[in-house]
Amino acid sequence: MENKKNIFNLDPLEGEIPYPIDEETKKWLGGLVSGGVSLKYAPGRFIISPNENLIAGHTYNFELYYYPEEVKLKEGCVIKFSIPRTWTQPKIKKGKPGYVEVFTSSGCKTEVYLTQLENLNWWINVKIKKGFIPPEGYLKIKYENVTIQKFPQKEWNNWRNSFRVIIDFKGKRNFKDLQVLKKEKAIKPVIISAPPAKFLVSTPSIVKPREKFILKFSTLDNFNNPAYPY
């Protein structure tokens, strides 16, 4: 009889494509912690669409927009978008889940490269190679066939599971030049639980004949979150 080996997938990051470490962001964060870097805020605003009542564990096609508003994005400028590690890994190969494609309102030439900040998040980096984006223009990223996290979330305050927009206006990959968009200038998703899929039931372990007892239950979704609607 064939002895089949058990396979355990204990590492949630198993199967990911390794990307280069985002060294400038790593040094920038370290400098913020040590006090060696002063926090600088970038102009503009960020929107991800769709963003309202996304269902945990479901798959969507997203569009990420950055509007500079107050400045012109010149040649060499790099716009960096962080993606949660709990979402489908961004890829530049067409047809793959997480496929990334870039558009600009001005039609300027861009280059896309992908990095990661250790096990915290991925970064979609867009560098302006030729031309510019005017203040009234925008940069758009299509991020397609993306399966999102399996838990609900309304606030995006930690680096592991968040969306950040960082601008390197000089494009020299010097961590001291990085500017981050204020969180109040970014519209981010609201993720809710999936519909009810199962019950969690609790009763006393021992009940005497004709004895009254309390049965407690809650409705859960497929990922063991409290289901929505409640």
Side-chain angles (χ1 to χ4, degrees), residues 55-73:
I55 300 176
H58 281 216
T59 301
Y60 297 90
N61 290 325
F62 290 99
E63 292 183 345
L64 286 64
Y65 290 88
Y66 172 66
Y67 299 86
E69 293 188 330
E70 304 167 34
V71 295
K72 179 167 71 172
L73 304 181

Side-chain angles (χ1 to χ4, degrees), residues 188-207:
K188 301 179 183 181
V190 174
I191 299 175
I192 60 175
S193 303
K198 51 190 171 183
F199 291 112
L200 176 64
V201 182
S202 173
T203 64
S205 57
I206 299 176
V207 179

Side-chain angles (χ1 to χ4, degrees), residues 2-204:
E2 183 181 358
N3 183 18
K4 294 185 178 180
K5 184 178 179 181
N6 290 326
I7 299 175
F8 298 94
N9 296 314
L10 299 180
D11 186 354
L13 308 182
E14 186 176 355
E16 289 182 351
I17 303 169
Y19 291 152
I21 297 296
D22 202 291
E23 294 291 349
E24 60 264 38
T25 307
K26 181 180 178 181
K27 292 177 181 178
W28 179 74
L29 280 174
L32 291 178
V33 173
S34 66
V37 175
S38 58
L39 188 62
K40 301 174 185 176
Y41 290 110
R45 59 191 173 94
F46 166 76
I47 295 175
I48 181 171
S49 177
N51 54 51
E52 292 186 3
N53 290 349
L54 307 183
I55 300 176
H58 281 216
T59 301
Y60 297 90
N61 290 325
F62 290 99
E63 292 183 345
L64 286 64
Y65 290 88
Y66 172 66
Y67 299 86
E69 293 188 330
E70 304 167 34
V71 295
K72 179 167 71 172
L73 304 181
K74 303 177 182 179
E75 287 183 16
C77 177
V78 178
I79 305 94
K80 304 169 68 67
F81 301 84
S82 75
I83 302 296
R85 291 295 284 265
T86 49
W87 290 33
T88 297
Q89 183 178 20
K91 302 178 185 71
I92 55 176
K93 188 171 183 179
K94 196 167 186 177
K96 294 290 185 180
Y99 174 64
V100 168
E101 191 173 9
V102 175
F103 304 85
T104 66
S105 58
S106 60
C108 65
K109 186 177 179 181
T110 60
E111 174 190 4
V112 182
Y113 61 95
L114 304 173
T115 56
Q116 65 185 64
L117 182 54
E118 297 180 334
N119 68 340
L120 291 177
N121 43 42
W122 292 292
W123 289 90
I124 301 173
N125 305 273
V126 181
K127 184 173 185 176
I128 299 177
K129 297 287 288 183
K130 188 175 182 180
F132 65 91
I133 300 175
E136 66 275 11
Y138 62 83
L139 168 70
K140 179 175 78 171
I141 296 176
K142 283 189 175 182
Y143 178 34
E144 299 182 332
N145 195 10
V146 178
T147 301
I148 65 172
Q149 64 204 51
K150 297 178 180 179
F151 54 90
Q153 187 170 0
K154 293 182 180 179
E155 300 294 330
W156 302 83
N157 296 321
N158 66 79
W159 278 92
R160 178 177 293 276
N161 200 62
S162 65
F163 290 92
R164 306 280 178 180
V165 178
I166 292 180
I167 314 297
D168 180 1
F169 286 103
K170 297 181 180 179
K172 296 182 178 179
R173 306 191 76 163
N174 184 339
F175 68 97
K176 293 184 179 180
D177 294 332
L178 301 185
Q179 300 183 26
V180 64
L181 194 68
K182 290 183 177 180
K183 65 178 183 179
E184 57 265 28
K185 298 288 288 183
I187 295 178
K188 301 179 183 181
V190 174
I191 299 175
I192 60 175
S193 303
K198 51 190 171 183
F199 291 112
L200 176 64
V201 182
S202 173
T203 64

